[in-house]
């Protein structure tokens, strides 16, 4: 231990003497370790760590899929869930949940913006998670709901987040009635978050034989059961359900690991970013290794003297490696600070929908990774220079010149290999960053099918407990839209169940067209409810027929407007106008007591065709869509949109809030802009692009430093040769071109290797691209040219130095 402390003290003194070298090496390592640690923090929290529930690997999500590949929301029916719990053996229990609109107020009667879910019996038992306060639901708190009766909930569980922010973490909340008359029976654990973003859960018991598909189902595998066994049983159940229920025709139940469904495609993006960070760390290590090699050459006299005085090579090896580890430790300390700052920036500027974002932190696992990365980098960049220096015999060391390093061919090969590797890795990062930039540019240039400028969006909700009568719901939205339309600065106003690129509240249903019921493979379509003026407010163009009008009310024939994709996939060559859509009698929402919405008509005539709109994301192709008149299909949860003149969004926003509170001060109001929704929809792609750009730019800088260093070293070692050439009559420019040509040739091999590496990794990179090939010719030309220019610039300064050689001084020294 005393020997270790002596080595550390000596390393500290040695590094303190070379402050410029130490600062450059530490900052280089800090960037590499900090960037890698930050990305690992996100990767670890989102992908690598199990969900925070007991035996989390047993948790699964049960969904339905169409056997013919048609679109479906994937929900289950109460009928299916009940049969699984009664007769299934592979799933210990299955529970369902669906989004429920409820206006919750805090203890001072202030409206709270919440995301509520009604859940079936045993929901919390599936997760096996203890409550922070109180308990979960008991059977008697799940009110029996028979078909045709109103749903009257009684009990709810608060999320820990809502308890903290909305009720000041009041421990006496248990047992108290919270407006609108729900009794709080429990507060969930801080890390319980399912469905993701839920603020509260309400006990619910649907009719056991109800076959409508609207429940998101989650289950737990029985002890000892494998996912394959559970899938086989679900497939058998699906065949049985298809015989008992028409809603299960052409459907099969599927099973997916719950974490996989939460994380989704984000895992691939994070692994790609972590790979880029690891590559950048290797570049940083190579850069510091070059610095140590150059410094080691200048320390040959010191090492020779210590060896001559009796220092054993083992002792010298330990001392030199300790210096490397001290450098790595200092870099890691600063890198942790960089990582912490990066994560704070991610919290404020990163994608809001990044799964498990609340779990991202520099915890024990991240610190362990940082320690491992520090040890790895310290050994990687310190081992080779140490072995190189100690592998030279004492006589050679004692003969070292004080003017500069004078290594031989083996030294040059090491330097060249390191910088060639740096250049190759930098080329790979630049190619990756360039591909993402092109992909992001293509994505942002996609025509969404509507105008995004000067558009305000307000999330409104008239919950069932406050507004049980659907005619009152329709009247309230009509009145509010009229108020908004009369606000100074508003050009158009309307309401819709879903806005493009925002939260999707629409439903999916098999299309049945009157007279075309014999279609072999009936399509499925998205159903949306809008008020008159919606298409004008959104800037969605009419292609054929007419738009919905104020005359399309409950008293007249049901009408619908469809999009171009509906026309292509559903109607084909049939004339669209006048065709009638039959609303399925088995639809969940056909019950007028349903707390979400109600389809008042059974048949809807197509009166118009509008342009396709990208609702899910800019990268998602439009789906067949049907727009209904809200008065004929009233829904409680709506989004109010207002097209604003010029830059009057701030004043209009305030007036919209005031108008809504005047109608009902107990309901929360939330406003945003369509531009903000657009930015949020591409936030993950933007994050990946910016991070890879940062890594690519930093890699180019480090590669330039490496090339500069190796050319400088080459010039230093060949000064005598260049002096003799000049003495024999060589022109100064010829000496300059020799050095620069060496730099270009040297960088060329690195560029070739980097392009080859990018081609090998093209399949992984292709998963992150939108309408851009992973071997895009423009990028494959741009990245090598950029590195070639950087290499040439980096070689100019040391090469130019060769033309300023003092002939007499150089030859006298030799």
């Amino acid at each position: 231990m005393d020997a270790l402390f002596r080595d550390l003290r000596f390393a500290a003194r040695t590094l303190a003497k070379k402050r410029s070298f130490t600062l450059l090496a530490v900052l280089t390592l800090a960037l590499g370790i900090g960037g890698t640690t930050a990305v690992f923090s996100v990767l670890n929290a989102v992908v690598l760590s199990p969900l925070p529930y007991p035996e989390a690997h047993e948790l699964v999500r049960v969904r339905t899929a169409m056997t013919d590949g048609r679109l479906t929301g994937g929900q289950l029916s109460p009928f299916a869930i009940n049969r699984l719990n009664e007769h299934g053996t592979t799933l210990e229990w299955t529970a369902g949940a669906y989004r429920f609109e409820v206006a919750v107020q805090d203890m001072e009667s202030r409206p709270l913006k919440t995301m509520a879910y009604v859940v079936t019996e045993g929901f919390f038992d599936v997760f096996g998670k203890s409550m922070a306060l109180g308990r979960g639901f008991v059977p008697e708190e799940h009110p029996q709901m028979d078909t045709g009766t109103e749903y009257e909930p009684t009990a709810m569980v608060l999320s820990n987040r809502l308890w903290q922010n909305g009720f000041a973490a009041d421990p006496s909340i248990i047992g108290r009635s919270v407006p609108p008359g729900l009794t709080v029976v429990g507060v969930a654990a801080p890390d319980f978050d399912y469905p993701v973003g839920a603020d509260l859960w309400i006990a619910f018991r649907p009719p056991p034989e109800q076959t409508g598909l609207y429940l998101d189902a989650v289950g737990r595998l029985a002890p000892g059961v494998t996912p394959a066994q559970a899938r086989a049983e679900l497939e058998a159940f699906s065949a049985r359900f298809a015989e008992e229920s028409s809603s299960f025709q052409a459907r099969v139940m599927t099973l997916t690991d719950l974490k996989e469904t939460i994380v989704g495609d984000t895992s691939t993006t994070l692994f790609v970013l972590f790979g880029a960070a690891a590559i950048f760390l290797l570049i940083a290590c190579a850069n510091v290794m070059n610095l140590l090699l150059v410094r080691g050459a200048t320390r040959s006299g010191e090492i020779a003297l210590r060896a001559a005085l009796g220092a054993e090579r083992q002792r010298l090896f330990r001392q030199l490696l300790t210096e490397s580890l001290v450098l790595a430790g200092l870099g890691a300390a600063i890198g942790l600070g960089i990582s912490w700052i990066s994560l704070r920036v991610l919290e404020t500027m990163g994608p809001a929908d990044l799964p498990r974002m609340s779990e991202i932190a520099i915890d024990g696992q991240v610190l362990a990774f940082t320690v491992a990365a520090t040890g790895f980098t310290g050994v990687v960049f310190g081992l080779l220079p140490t072995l190189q220096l100690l592998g030279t015999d004492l006589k050679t060391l004692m003969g070292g010149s004080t003017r500069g390093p004078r290594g031989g061919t083996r030294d040059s090969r090491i330097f060249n290999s390191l910088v060639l590797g740096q250049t190759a890795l930098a080329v790979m990062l630049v190619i990756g960053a360039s591909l993402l930039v092109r992909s992001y540019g293509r994505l942002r240039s996609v025509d969404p099918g509507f105008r995004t400028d000067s558009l305000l969006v307000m999330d409104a909700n008239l919950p069932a407990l406050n507004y049980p009568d659907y005619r009152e719901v329709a009247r309230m939205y009509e009145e509010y839209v009229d108020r908004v339309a009369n606000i100074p600065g508003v050009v158009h106003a309307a309401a819709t169940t879903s806005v493009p690129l925002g939260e999707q509240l629409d439903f999916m249903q098999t299309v049945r067209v009157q007279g075309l019921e014999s279609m072999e493979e009936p399509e499925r379509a998205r159903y949306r409810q809008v008020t008159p003026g919606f298409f004008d407010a959104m800037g969605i163009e009419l292609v054929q027929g007419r738009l919905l009008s104020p005359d399309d009310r409950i008293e007249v024939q049901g009408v619908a407007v469809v999009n171009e994709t509906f026309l292509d996939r559903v109607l084909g060559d049939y004339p669209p106008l006048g065709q009638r859509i039959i609303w399925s009698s088995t639809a969940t929402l056909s019950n007028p007591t349903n707390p979400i919405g109600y389809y008042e008509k059974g048949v809807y005539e197509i009166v118009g065709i509008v342009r396709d709109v990208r609702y899910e994301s800019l990268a998602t192709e439009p789906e067949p869509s049907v727009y209904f008149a809200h008065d004929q299909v009233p829904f409680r949860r709506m989004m109010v949109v207002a097209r604003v003149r010029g830059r009057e969004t701030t004043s209009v926003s305030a007036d919209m809030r005031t108008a809504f509170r005047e109608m009902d001060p107990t309901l929360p109001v939330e406003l945003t802009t369509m531009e903000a929704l657009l930015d949020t929809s591409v936030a993950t792609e933007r994050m990946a692009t910016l991070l890879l750009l940062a890594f690519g730019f930093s890699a180019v800088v480090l590669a330039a430093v490496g090339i500069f260093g190796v050319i400088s070293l080459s010039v230093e070692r060949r000064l005598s040769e260049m002096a003799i050439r000049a003495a024999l009559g060589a022109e100064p420019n010829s000496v300059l071109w020799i050095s620069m040509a060496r730099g270009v040739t040297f960088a060329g091999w690195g560029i070739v290797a980097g392009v080859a590496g990018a081609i090998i990794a093209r399949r992984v990179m292709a998963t992150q691209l939108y309408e851009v090939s992973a071997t895009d010719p423009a990028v494959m030309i741009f990245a090598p040219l950029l590195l070639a220019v950087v290499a040439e610039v980096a070689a100019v300064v040391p090469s130019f130095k060769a033309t300023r050689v003092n002939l007499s001084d150089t030859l006298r020294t030799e």
Side-chain angles (χ1 to χ4, degrees):
M1 188 61 70
D2 290 340
L4 175 61
F5 283 128
R6 285 198 300 271
D7 288 342
L8 289 173
R9 285 195 297 270
F10 185 81
R13 289 198 302 270
T14 302
L15 294 175
K17 292 178 182 178
K18 299 290 183 179
R19 295 177 183 174
S20 298
F21 160 81
T22 301
L23 182 62
L24 180 60
V26 167
L27 289 179
T28 301
L29 291 173
L31 289 174
I33 295 175
T36 309
T37 299
V39 177
F40 177 79
S41 301
V42 180
L43 179 67
N44 180 63
V46 175
V47 180
L48 302 181
S49 297
L51 296 176
Y53 310 117
E55 304 298 329
H57 64 280
E58 297 178 352
L59 292 173
V60 294
R61 191 176 182 190
V62 184
R63 296 177 62 78
T64 60
M66 302 298 293
T67 55
D68 55 14
R70 286 178 291 151
L71 299 172
T72 180
Q75 288 84 7
L76 264 66
S77 65
F79 167 78
I81 291 177
N82 285 328
R83 291 295 189 274
L84 286 176
N85 289 332
E86 289 173 359
H87 305 294
T89 58
T90 59
L91 292 175
E92 195 172 70
W93 190 259
T94 305
Y98 78 89
R99 179 78 178 266
F100 182 73
E101 303 308 326
V102 59
V104 177
Q105 300 173 37
D106 62 15
M107 303 314 295
E108 297 180 5
S109 298
R110 292 173 299 192
L112 298 174
K113 175 67 177 176
T114 61
M115 184 184 293
Y117 285 86
V118 293
V119 296
T120 62
E121 190 172 346
F123 175 81
F124 292 105
D125 296 332
V126 168
F127 294 90
K129 190 77 173 177
S130 299
M131 292 283 169
L133 283 179
R135 55 169 175 79
F137 301 123
V138 295
E140 53 267 27
E141 289 170 339
H142 289 268
Q144 179 66 52
M145 179 182 171
D146 297 323
T147 302
T149 63
E150 292 188 8
Y151 171 53
E152 297 180 357
T154 59
M156 71 176 176
V157 170
L158 302 178
S159 71
N160 207 279
R161 177 179 56 255
L162 181 62
W163 178 55
Q164 297 275 351
N165 299 332
F167 298 94
D170 183 2
S172 65
I173 191 71
I174 303 299
R176 295 169 67 179
S177 178
V178 172
L182 296 171
T183 301
V184 178
V185 299
V187 174
D191 52 2
F192 185 87
D193 188 24
Y194 192 85
V196 176
D199 293 303
L200 59 96
W201 301 265
I202 301 170
F204 172 65
R205 181 180 294 168
E209 300 302 318
Q210 194 175 54
T211 57
L213 304 167
Y214 62 94
L215 293 174
D216 287 314
V218 60
R220 179 178 288 274
L221 296 174
V225 172
T226 65
Q229 291 172 321
R231 289 190 183 97
E233 183 179 64
L234 289 176
E235 186 175 346
F237 268 106
S238 298
R240 191 182 311 167
F241 293 160
E243 298 175 356
E244 300 178 21
S245 169
S246 60
S247 66
F248 240 85
Q249 297 293 328
R251 288 182 182 271
V252 62
M253 281 190 287
T254 63
L255 180 146
T256 312
D257 180 78
L258 185 61
K259 188 177 80 170
E260 183 180 331
T261 65
I262 292 174
V263 174
D265 296 336
T266 306
S267 59
T268 305
T269 300
L270 293 179
F271 274 116
V272 169
L273 290 176
F274 182 71
I279 288 175
F280 178 66
L281 180 58
L282 289 177
I283 294 174
C285 288
N287 200 275
V288 176
M289 196 182 301
N290 265 334
L291 292 174
L292 285 174
L293 283 169
V294 174
R295 184 168 177 266
T298 63
R299 295 181 67 186
S300 58
E302 171 203 337
I303 300 301
L305 180 60
R306 293 178 65 185
L309 294 175
E312 298 179 356
R313 286 185 180 269
Q314 180 181 357
R315 174 74 177 82
L316 293 172
F317 174 84
R318 190 179 68 201
Q319 177 59 55
L320 293 173
L321 198 58
T322 299
E323 292 181 18
S324 300
L325 290 172
V326 169
L327 281 175
L330 292 173
I334 299 176
L336 276 175
I338 293 175
S339 176
W340 185 86
I341 294 172
S342 301
L343 294 180
R344 300 292 77 76
V345 172
L346 178 64
E347 284 182 1
T348 57
M349 301 179 61
D353 59 348
L354 184 67
R356 309 182 69 183
M357 191 166 183
S358 62
E359 300 176 42
I360 300 173
I362 301 180
D363 54 15
Q365 289 177 303
V366 174
L367 290 176
F369 169 82
T370 306
V371 171
T374 302
F376 171 78
T377 54
V379 171
V380 163
F381 72 72
L383 189 60
L384 183 60
T386 299
L387 293 176
Q388 174 71 6
L389 187 56
L390 296 182
T392 309
D393 61 85
L394 181 61
K395 182 177 179 181
T396 302
L397 288 173
M398 293 295 289
S401 168
T402 61
R403 186 175 54 84
R406 302 186 62 81
T409 304
R410 184 178 65 171
D411 298 333
S412 297
R413 280 200 295 264
I414 293 174
F415 276 104
N416 295 349
S417 297
L418 286 174
V419 180
L420 187 148
Q422 275 185 291
T423 305
L425 294 175
V427 169
M428 290 180 65
L429 286 182
V430 172
I431 288 176
S434 301
L435 287 172
L436 284 185
V437 168
R438 281 181 65 81
S439 174
Y440 185 71
R442 291 279 180 89
L443 187 62
R444 288 303 301 260
S445 65
V446 168
D447 180 6
F450 63 95
R451 287 177 52 201
T452 62
D453 60 295
S454 304
L455 193 62
L456 287 171
V457 179
M458 190 190 85
D459 189 354
N461 171 31
L462 302 178
L465 298 180
N466 304 63
Y467 297 90
D469 183 3
Y470 273 107
R471 301 298 345 133
E472 176 70 6
V473 169
R475 187 197 64 78
M476 287 281 287
Y477 277 117
E478 182 178 358
E479 178 184 343
Y480 180 65
V481 168
D482 286 343
R483 288 194 180 196
V484 173
N486 289 319
I487 293 175
V490 173
V491 180
H492 296 289
T496 174
T497 47
S498 297
V499 292
L501 309 179
E503 184 181 359
Q504 300 304 300
L505 303 175
D506 46 77
F507 295 85
M508 186 174 292
Q509 181 77 8
T510 299
V511 176
R512 299 172 64 228
V513 180
Q514 199 171 65
L516 304 179
E517 292 92 338
S518 60
M519 287 189 298
E520 293 183 3
E521 295 184 359
E523 270 287 352
R524 296 177 63 77
R526 298 282 184 184
Y527 290 80
R528 301 180 171 98
Q529 292 69 41
V530 301
T531 63
F534 168 75
F535 301 102
D536 291 328
M538 296 296 299
I540 300 174
E541 296 178 11
L542 176 67
V543 176
Q544 189 177 352
R546 70 170 177 88
L547 300 175
L548 299 176
S549 75
D551 296 330
D552 296 321
R553 308 187 70 82
I554 185 61
E555 298 85 7
V556 301
Q557 167 66 47
V559 294
V561 169
V562 300
N563 68 345
E564 294 171 303
T565 300
F566 184 98
L567 178 62
D568 294 338
R569 295 189 191 176
V570 179
L571 298 177
D573 295 330
Y574 288 92
L577 300 183
Q579 298 288 351
R580 296 194 171 193
I581 299 171
I582 305 171
W583 182 252
S584 173
S585 61
T586 61
T588 304
L589 302 180
S590 61
N591 183 350
T593 63
N594 190 283
I596 299 178
Y598 173 43
Y599 287 75
E600 301 243 21
K601 301 286 184 178
V603 177
Y604 299 85
E605 181 181 332
I606 298 176
V607 298
I609 312 293
V610 294
R611 280 193 63 195
D612 284 335
V613 173
R614 297 189 180 231
Y615 268 84
E616 294 289 338
S617 70
L618 291 178
T620 304
E621 292 296 324
E623 300 169 337
S625 299
V626 181
Y627 300 91
F628 293 114
H630 184 258
D631 193 69
Q632 297 178 344
V633 187
F635 266 48
R636 303 186 186 282
R637 175 84 181 275
M638 300 288 282
M639 314 291 283
V640 178
V641 294
R643 174 72 59 186
V644 180
R645 185 183 301 108
R647 300 178 178 272
E648 300 180 36
T649 55
T650 303
S651 60
V652 171
S653 296
D655 290 340
M656 287 179 67
R657 292 177 189 274
T658 301
F660 196 74
R661 286 176 179 143
E662 286 175 353
M663 293 179 62
D664 191 336
T666 67
L667 299 179
V669 181
E670 184 175 285
L671 271 116
T672 186
T673 64
M674 181 53 68
E675 280 136 345
L677 290 177
L678 177 61
D679 286 341
T680 300
S681 71
V682 295
T684 299
E685 291 83 357
R686 183 172 60 247
M687 176 192 72
T689 302
L690 291 176
L691 281 177
L692 212 54
L693 270 177
F695 287 137
F697 174 79
S698 302
V700 169
V701 173
L702 292 182
V705 172
I707 293 171
F708 175 86
V710 78
I711 299 300
S712 295
L713 185 61
S714 173
V715 168
E716 184 73 15
R717 289 175 171 174
R718 300 179 65 191
L719 282 178
S720 58
E721 172 196 339
M722 294 177 179
I724 293 173
R725 284 175 178 268
L728 294 176
E731 293 291 332
N733 285 341
S734 66
V735 177
L736 173 66
W737 288 116
I738 289 173
S739 297
M740 292 183 65
R742 176 177 172 79
V744 172
T745 303
F746 175 75
W749 286 110
I751 290 171
V752 170
V755 171
I759 293 174
I760 292 173
R762 68 187 183 280
R763 290 185 179 178
V764 176
M765 199 64 204
T767 63
Q768 307 301 302
L769 303 177
Y770 176 75
E771 292 189 352
V772 174
S773 169
T775 54
D776 183 74
V779 171
M780 289 299 179
I781 293 174
F782 166 76
L785 280 178
L786 174 64
L787 266 296
V789 170
V790 169
E792 190 63 23
V793 172
V796 164
V797 175
S799 300
F800 189 75
K801 179 183 177 182
T803 65
R804 295 293 184 265
V805 174
N806 189 305
L807 296 181
S808 58
D809 288 347
T810 301
L811 294 176
R812 188 180 302 113
T813 301
E814 294 300 320

